[in-house]
Amino acid sequence: MTASSTASANVNEPAPATPQPWWHRTSVIWTAIAAVAAIAGVSATVIAAK
């Protein structure tokens, strides 16, 4: 008895994109809001100091 088997893999196939967790988008939004608030705070301090 002879048994033969073949296996193949396509190396050129791109890996599927992993979805971002739900909190990733929220953290990016809150980081942007914090950055804008920090810039506004520094600007208000500079204007008030003049």
Side-chain angles (χ1 to χ4, degrees):
M1 252 188 185
T2 356
S4 77
S5 63
T6 58
S8 65
N10 187 356
V11 179
N12 295 328
E13 183 176 329
T18 56
Q20 294 290 334
W22 64 269
W23 50 264
H24 180 73
R25 182 180 302 152
T26 305
S27 66
V28 169
I29 292 170
W30 282 113
T31 301
I33 291 171
V36 170
I39 293 169
V42 169
S43 299
T45 303
V46 169
I47 291 172
K50 286 186 178 182

